[in-house]
Amino acid sequence: MHRHRRWLQIIGALLALGIYAGSWHVVGIDLRKLVEPQAARRAQEIFTAFLTPEILVPERGAQRVEAPMRVPCESGNTPEAVGVGEGPRLFLPPCASPGARIRIRGEGFRPGSELVLRWVFAPSPQLPLGGELLAGRTRTDAAGRFELDVEVRPLLAQEGGARLQAEARWEGRWQVSPALTRTMELTLQTIFLALMATTLATVVAAPLSFLAARNITARGPAGTAVYYITRTTFNVVRSIEPLVVAAIFATWVGFGPFAGVLALTVATVVNLGKLFSEVIETIDPGPVEAITATGANSLQVIRYAVIPQITLPFLAFIIYHWDINIRISTVVGFVGGGGIGYQLKLWIDQTDYHKAGTAVWAIIAVVSAMDYASARLREAIR
Amino acid sequence: MAAERRPPQGFAIIPGLAYYAMGLRTLAGIWLGVSLTLIGLALWRGHLWLWISVGLWWIGTGYDVRRRFKGRRPRLWPAALVALIAVYGVGWEVTEIQPLAPFERFDKMRPYLIALTQPDLLTYPTERQIYRIPVEVPCTHPPAPRETRGEARIWLSADCAQAGDPLTLQGEGLPAGLSLELWWVNPIGERQRILQEGRPLSLQADASGRFRTAFLAPRAVPLGFEPPPGQSQTHFLELHAVRVIGGPRPSEALLEVAEKMGETVAIALLATTFAVWIAAPLSFLAARNLMGGSLPARAIYYAMRGFFNIVRSVEPLIFGIVFVVWVGLGSFAGMLALMVHSIAALGKLFSEVIEHIDPGPVEALTATGANRLQVVRYAVVPQVVPEFVSFAVYRWDINVRMSTIIGFVGGGGIGFRLSEWIRLSAYRQVATAVIGIALVVMALDYVSAQVRRRIV
Amino acid sequence: MPLIVDRLTKIYPDGTRALHEVSFTVDDGEFVAIIGLSGAGKSTLLRCINRLIEPTSGRVIWNGIDITAASPRELRRIRRQIGMIFQQFNLVKRATVLTNVLTGRLGYMNPWLSLLGYFPPSEVQRAMQALERVGLADLADKRADELSGGQQQRVGIARALMQEPRLLLADEPVASLDPVLAHSILRYIEELNRKDGVTVLCSLHFLDLVHRYATRVIGLKDGIKVFDGRPDEIDDRRFKEIYGQEAERIGG
Ligand SMILES: Nc1ncnc2c1ncn2[C@@H]1O[C@H](COP(=O)(O)OP(=O)(O)OP(=O)(O)O)[C@@H](O)[C@H]1O
Ligand SMILES: [Mg+2]
């Protein structure tokens, strides 16, 4: 007997070992992949970016004025500067000789901003894609003016001239980043997605759960059949993750939050249906008996003996599922179901990790808050 | 109600304040919360009706306050109704609900429902014999019947046709009961099945080896290869006589689903196992009753708690995309994603188990002069092991479900194939995968429920 | 309008024979105590009378109407005139006391209106009167589970009062209460019996209570009627017949 046990244990251990070895092989575990230089660099990049999510960005602005300049001048000497542009104005001679230093002036630019002058070449046989050449840098003064001497390079003569562009750039006040605004909007959408799904599911699951409650339905052969069919349906559908359903529904009703709502509704109906029916099965039969004895009909019995007993437990489960649905709705977007998930995946695919970090922190905040709130609410209604 | 204080009437102008003054603090809090929510929604969406509902909410609660002032029964439902309508109205808009879309676009869903009743499970190895009949497109001469002879005799009603022309095909001398398929091949070799009412036309030779069928010539002229006016191209009508040789074999999709389900379960198994071994020791650091004493201990306690809570609230799929960037596509990334989420989830549950142990044995062992590690080893661990195992099995259950979708973001397992099949509208393969998932998940669900019942 | 119970038999689906050919007649205004060991069939008998349990055979005739043959609709009309009180009170714990009392009136109300939870003011007033009668008017707005056991049973009586019953079935109404409360509850039932002339069928465990309140006793043993007479007729021999040879008589 004892020896028999031993053998069973050894066989069990070997079996477990085999299963684990197989799994290890199938999953392709390779810890080196985690620390390979390239992988490690990517990981570091992601995590540092996540720790510094994009919340505030400086307001950026730029002003640009440009004007053509011929090189060399037909007349040989450089004429007087003329002004071009409205608002910010740029003063430069219409043509210049190669090698000359010409004075460029500007006015009406944003005071105290960084100013870049560059030559912009049109496409030509030598420069098939066109090109740019830095001409000089300075800052505008407090009145928004600048003055800069610029050398007319030989390349300009080759091309017969170029457009001179003056660009003033500045960084203004810090403001809420577009990524944050987008994240907040999508987070709200996520919350509403979960809310709508939970509400719809409750409306459907509450009546269905009576069909899946043994003490209500399982009377007579027809009732018993209904009971088992409902039960089995709940169990089968429960085993399919809402994301699979969402992926299929996205082709049905089109990409967007509505597909997510429907998928979550289906998942929630079966989960709530099961939980609800268990609540109904464990009600106290006493009041049912008492109210039946007063001569009430069966609808009145349900209304006055069953419903008061199940309302609060139902509510607790509904709140709990709203919480779960918020978690899931953060990712239904991955398969086209709306909410924050789609944007998050997009940002990661575009390696915009700072923006992705914003979304991740928003998810953490919302999910934790809901987790806490739902626990407190469920305690309060007990 | 007798206990309610009666503030001056003027308070009714701000209902929340009136509730507060009446001593109904919870109600005052709820009033403030609802008001802020409604105003926030109105600011966000900017609809006039939302501002109106803010006003109505104010009026409705004010009405309730007045009733209370007059000592009548409270009546909050009108205000509550307004708030609900506003919230659900915004929800309806934000989630872009189109109640008719599921019906209008039902044709997109029907193939899935049909496929669920006929998943791609088996194939029969076949041998096909092909009869080719040339057809000129379009007609440049009056059409005449055309006959082909081989082992069988086949007649086509016309030797030339244009897309949409009715054609009749008949034959004799085929083996009885043989199934037949009709294909159309255009001059550049593109092959398409002949359809009837949107479904592939398939027929069978009768007991005497004859068949007869009518169909329409399909649109098959290749774009950019249209014949010049007055000339024609040669297309071919192919009759495939399909003979089944040998018994049923599992289809390619079935084999693939089976293999990938194995991988799915393996991912879940390893993720859970690793997570348990990592979370179990960490959870001791997150148990208040063990980490109560010194300041550093408390700091560690809060740090672990915070870590668990933050990581727990990030879905495994989000970790999935991060790990795919980190270690590349494949099961390893999926396993890591599930593992990290499970560590946090299990760590929290485990630490709660530890917090709820019977303090008696701890006290007793401490009294014998045992050090802290000894106390943990002999007074805490024996108490928590059964519940740890139970939670671990429960987690394994969740992880099996999760690992079926971790592939949606490139994390291996069945999800990867499934998402591809969904994208390609390979309905029958999708059905095979969905059924496979349902069977495996339900089976493991049952097993884990049994295991947990044994333990607890 | 007597209550005639004629060869009533109940066999549960699992084969247990809880009642076997029980017959008796109760005249108006009687206070009948039903006694017997645990499992003797007291609860089964009471529930067969208003068909909370379907009898296997036999008849129950009340007011000249055969209850056992009544259609569901008729049955509800009959039930609303038969009050019932339970050992476990059977109140809806999460509803208020007032709502619990009002549910006693459901059989008289428009079924659709009642589903909305609306009760006309006249009914609310009637409920308050019933609560006043059992001394609980000031607890009307409390939740039923906030009440003590004795108070809950008084709510149960008030619910039965709402039915304006002609017959009251009480299944061990005081078994969950201490002796002092037991007397106070039974006094309410006695008052109903004496003042309002309601016929009472009440199963009881303690013989002293039987002697104090009942005008007649029916003894059951293993589903068979073994005694039917006045309380003072129960002597030692009869006692042993009902309660078995080993039983010791205490009290009474
Ligand atoms: N639903 C049921 N199914 C099967 N047998 C039952 C059922 N209800 C009661 N019985 C059996 O019928 C018999 C009579 O039960 P009943 O409840 O009427 O006894 P009682 O006299 O009220 O007992 P107590 O004093 O304990 O309440 C018992 O043997 C009991 O086990
Ligand atoms: Mg009983």
Side-chain angles (χ1 to χ4, degrees), chain C residues 60-100:
Chain C
V60 178
I61 295 164
W62 184 55
N63 273 350
I65 305 170
D66 187 349
I67 298 182
T68 37
S71 69
R73 212 190 162 82
E74 282 171 326
L75 180 62
R76 287 201 296 275
R77 293 186 69 82
I78 297 164
R79 272 180 181 161
R80 70 183 194 190
Q81 302 173 54
I82 304 179
M84 193 161 190
I85 303 175
F86 304 84
Q87 176 181 356
Q88 298 302 336
F89 325 132
N90 288 2
L91 300 183
V92 182
K93 297 223 166 49
R94 284 193 171 115
T96 62
V97 166
L98 186 66
T99 313
N100 266 292

Side-chain angles (χ1 to χ4, degrees), chain A residues 19-327:
Chain A
I19 290 175
Y20 274 106
S23 303
W24 187 282
H25 176 72
V26 168
V27 175
I29 290 188
D30 184 358
L31 293 177
R32 273 169 314 175
K33 277 192 193 161
L34 280 169
V35 290
E36 270 171 6
Q38 256 197 336
R41 194 149 13 85
R42 277 196 302 266
Q44 197 195 351
E45 196 187 335
I46 294 182
F47 286 114
T48 45
F50 276 11
L51 289 177
T52 52
E54 188 181 303
I55 294 171
L56 296 174
V57 286
E59 181 194 4
R60 282 177 212 285
Q63 287 170 317
R64 261 186 224 116
V65 186
E66 57 177 50
M69 183 189 279
R70 280 170 282 115
V71 178
C73 278
E74 293 87 353
S75 61
N77 45 7
T78 307
E80 273 300 292
V82 295
V84 294
E86 297 159 4
R89 284 165 68 80
L90 187 64
F91 295 90
L92 76 170
C95 65
S97 322
R101 288 187 77 78
I102 51 171
R103 169 148 297 200
I104 310 288
R105 281 191 306 117
E107 61 180 39
F109 286 89
R110 192 172 189 277
S113 50
E114 195 185 332
L115 191 115
V116 179
L117 279 177
R118 58 173 82 89
W119 300 106
V120 180
F121 297 100
S124 70
Q126 292 91 338
L127 296 169
L129 296 177
E132 276 185 12
L133 184 67
L134 184 69
R137 284 172 184 282
T138 178
R139 290 188 77 81
T140 55
D141 65 11
R145 279 194 287 260
F146 74 92
E147 247 180 34
L148 193 66
D149 284 339
V150 167
E151 188 190 345
V152 181
R153 304 268 198 88
L155 179 66
L156 286 159
Q158 276 179 29
E159 296 294 319
R163 298 178 74 82
L164 183 67
Q165 183 186 66
E167 184 183 61
R169 289 164 172 272
W170 64 90
E171 288 192 350
R173 280 179 303 120
W174 289 77
Q175 57 180 16
V176 172
S177 83
L180 183 60
T181 330
R182 177 101 180 111
T183 298
M184 290 204 302
E185 195 152 286
L186 286 173
T187 307
L188 285 173
Q189 191 189 61
T190 306
I191 295 173
F192 275 108
L193 205 161
L195 175 69
M196 295 310 275
T198 315
T199 312
L200 278 177
T202 306
V203 173
V204 180
L208 274 186
S209 63
F210 282 83
L211 296 183
R214 186 185 285 276
N215 53 345
I216 304 273
T217 308
R219 300 204 185 116
T224 313
V226 169
Y227 165 76
Y228 278 108
I229 290 172
T230 328
R231 270 268 132 134
T232 315
T233 314
F234 284 175
N235 280 330
V236 171
V237 179
R238 251 161 51 85
S239 62
I240 307 294
E241 277 290 301
L243 244 72
V244 177
V245 183
I248 292 175
F249 280 11
T251 59
W252 177 16
V253 297
F255 277 52
F258 185 43
V261 170
L262 285 184
L264 285 190
T265 304
V266 169
T268 313
V269 163
V270 291
N271 281 314
L272 277 183
K274 186 159 186 231
L275 293 169
F276 282 179
S277 65
E278 277 158 14
V279 171
I280 299 171
E281 281 175 357
T282 52
I283 57 164
D284 175 7
V288 177
E289 195 179 33
I291 290 179
T292 313
T294 66
N297 68 23
S298 33
L299 277 180
Q300 287 174 321
V301 171
I302 289 184
R303 167 69 181 79
Y304 286 97
V306 180
I307 290 183
Q309 291 195 55
I310 59 179
T311 315
L312 287 187
F314 273 29
L315 206 57
F317 281 129
I318 292 166
I319 295 171
Y320 176 58
H321 266 269
W322 188 22
D323 182 15
I324 293 182
N325 280 343
I326 284 194
R327 288 164 191 271

Side-chain angles (χ1 to χ4, degrees), chain C residues 38-39 41-44 47 87 171-172 203 205:
Chain C
S38 186
K42 305 182 293 288
S43 301
T44 308
R47 282 171 171 72
Q87 176 181 356
D171 188 9
E172 294 179 26
S203 66
H205 259 313

Side-chain angles (χ1 to χ4, degrees), chain B residues 184-444:
Chain B
W184 192 276
V185 188
N186 72 7
I188 59 169
E190 286 170 348
R191 197 170 254 125
Q192 57 173 298
R193 192 90 188 253
I194 301 272
L195 303 178
Q196 204 166 47
E197 284 157 7
R199 292 158 154 273
L201 173 68
S202 65
L203 44 139
Q204 280 188 335
D206 66 12
S208 52
R210 288 178 217 270
F211 75 92
R212 184 188 162 85
T213 182
F215 60 94
L216 302 179
R219 188 173 302 281
V221 175
L223 274 179
F225 285 83
E226 294 87 356
Q231 291 184 33
S232 69
Q233 289 174 329
T234 309
H235 291 224
F236 291 94
L237 177 70
E238 285 186 355
L239 176 72
H240 291 213
V242 185
R243 199 197 308 266
V244 174
I245 48 170
R249 307 255 166 92
S251 71
E252 226 168 273
L254 180 62
L255 289 177
E256 182 145 23
V257 166
E259 187 200 325
K260 289 292 171 189
M261 276 319 290
E263 192 179 307
T264 305
V265 174
I267 291 173
L269 178 67
L270 290 187
T272 315
T273 313
F274 292 147
V276 169
W277 288 111
I278 297 171
L282 290 183
S283 66
F284 286 86
L285 301 178
R288 185 190 285 275
N289 52 344
L290 298 184
M291 304 298 289
S294 55
L295 193 63
R298 281 232 295 285
I300 294 178
Y301 162 78
Y302 282 114
M304 288 312 298
R305 263 284 137 109
F307 170 75
F308 286 160
N309 278 331
I310 287 180
V311 174
R312 218 164 48 89
S313 53
V314 179
E315 280 287 294
L317 249 73
I318 297 175
F319 282 119
I321 43 179
V322 172
F323 277 114
V324 164
V325 175
W326 186 348
V327 301
L329 287 174
S331 324
F332 184 43
M335 197 284 292
L336 288 171
L338 289 183
M339 183 186 82
V340 169
H341 183 84
S342 302
I343 289 174
L346 281 177
K348 171 140 195 280
L349 290 174
F350 285 179
S351 64
E352 276 163 9
V353 170
I354 299 170
E355 282 172 3
H356 290 120
I357 56 165
D358 173 10
V362 176
E363 220 168 31
L365 251 78
T366 316
T368 66
N371 70 24
R372 193 182 278 215
L373 272 180
Q374 288 170 321
V375 170
V376 168
R377 166 70 186 79
Y378 289 99
V380 180
V381 171
Q383 288 193 55
V384 298
V385 164
E387 283 188 72
F388 275 26
V389 175
S390 163
F391 278 128
V393 174
Y394 174 62
R395 192 72 223 172
W396 138 259
D397 218 61
I398 297 178
N399 278 344
V400 170
R401 290 161 188 270
M402 279 288 163
S403 61
T404 61
I405 50 168
I406 198 77
F408 280 17
V409 294
I414 184 87
F416 192 60
R417 274 351 298 280
L418 179 56
S419 66
E420 218 149 68
W421 282 331
I422 292 177
R423 220 182 34 233
L424 298 174
S425 298
Y427 304 110
R428 296 186 64 207
Q429 280 84 336
V430 171
T432 313
V434 166
I435 292 172
I437 291 174
L439 287 179
V440 172
V441 169
M442 282 197 299
L444 292 177

